[in-house]
Amino acid sequence: NKQRSSDINGYVALYGFWDKEIDSVDSYVSYEVDSNKLNSFREFITMAKSSGSKVVVIYSPIFLKFQKKQEITMCKDICSLENIPFLDFSKDTVFLKNKYLFKDVVHLNNTGATIFSNLICKKIKQEKQITQYFTLNINLFSVKLKKK
């Protein structure tokens, strides 16, 4: 069990850092998709778009080298069908080259989260000049919804 400090508008800072080297996954692992999560993802996109919000889907950095991940492919496909931007940071070298930005292989620590948040803000402003948007943060098997 992780001990967490209180959250700040949904954000919970993680402190400390990952002290192991990066792992590699050579093969594409297929697994059964949770249809409830997939339907929730699609419904959230539909509701956000129908309310007039701009939608951007973001896949967070992970400290793992891999060839292909099923959930990334599914997210890209759905975003393509919905004509919304998909920003994939899973293989971003800023993060892959620095284990000290991670609390564990799938969670950025507070320093990494700050760098990532600033990077996302700059990227969104550069691409679309979006002032009101929703972010879907998808990492591994969980879907976290956060209104920005």
Side-chain angles (χ1 to χ4, degrees):
N1 288 336
K2 291 181 183 176
Q3 183 137 9
R4 295 181 180 227
S5 58
S6 60
D7 69 86
I8 305 166
N9 295 325
Y11 172 72
V12 177
L14 298 176
Y15 296 97
F17 60 89
W18 187 245
D19 61 355
K20 297 179 180 123
E21 295 306 314
I22 193 165
D23 282 331
S24 294
V25 177
D26 294 326
S27 61
Y28 179 67
V29 178
S30 183
Y31 49 85
E32 189 173 335
V33 176
D34 183 335
S35 61
N36 290 325
K37 288 182 180 179
L38 198 56
N39 289 335
S40 294
F41 178 62
R42 287 185 177 126
E43 286 176 24
F44 181 84
I45 290 171
T46 300
M47 288 185 339
K49 286 175 68 175
S50 68
S51 74
S53 297
K54 304 286 185 184
V55 178
V56 178
V57 176
I58 300 169
Y59 196 97
S60 301
I62 56 175
F63 197 63
L64 180 69
K65 289 184 183 177
F66 59 89
Q67 295 300 316
K68 191 174 182 182
K69 288 183 75 63
Q70 185 176 356
E71 64 265 21
I72 294 174
T73 302
M74 288 186 303
C75 287
K76 282 182 183 177
D77 291 346
I78 292 169
C79 290
S80 179
L81 288 172
E82 293 289 338
N83 197 28
I84 57 175
F86 178 79
L87 304 178
D88 181 6
F89 289 90
S90 63
K91 294 185 179 184
D92 191 294
T93 56
V94 168
F95 299 95
L96 285 177
K97 291 182 178 180
N98 193 342
K99 65 184 177 183
Y100 300 106
L101 297 177
F102 290 86
K103 174 65 177 166
D104 56 40
V105 295
V106 296
H107 295 99
L108 293 165
N109 61 22
N110 191 58
T111 302
T114 301
I115 292 169
F116 183 53
S117 295
N118 289 329
L119 186 62
I120 289 170
C121 289
K122 287 177 188 175
K123 183 82 169 166
I124 289 173
K125 285 179 184 178
Q126 287 171 353
E127 286 196 3
K128 300 282 184 181
Q129 298 297 319
I130 297 172
T131 57
Q132 180 186 13
Y133 62 92
F134 281 84
T135 299
L136 293 176
N137 183 357
I138 294 99
N139 202 331
L140 293 177
F141 303 104
S142 63
V143 177
K144 298 177 184 174
L145 306 178
K146 185 184 287 187
K147 183 178 178 181
K148 293 277 186 179

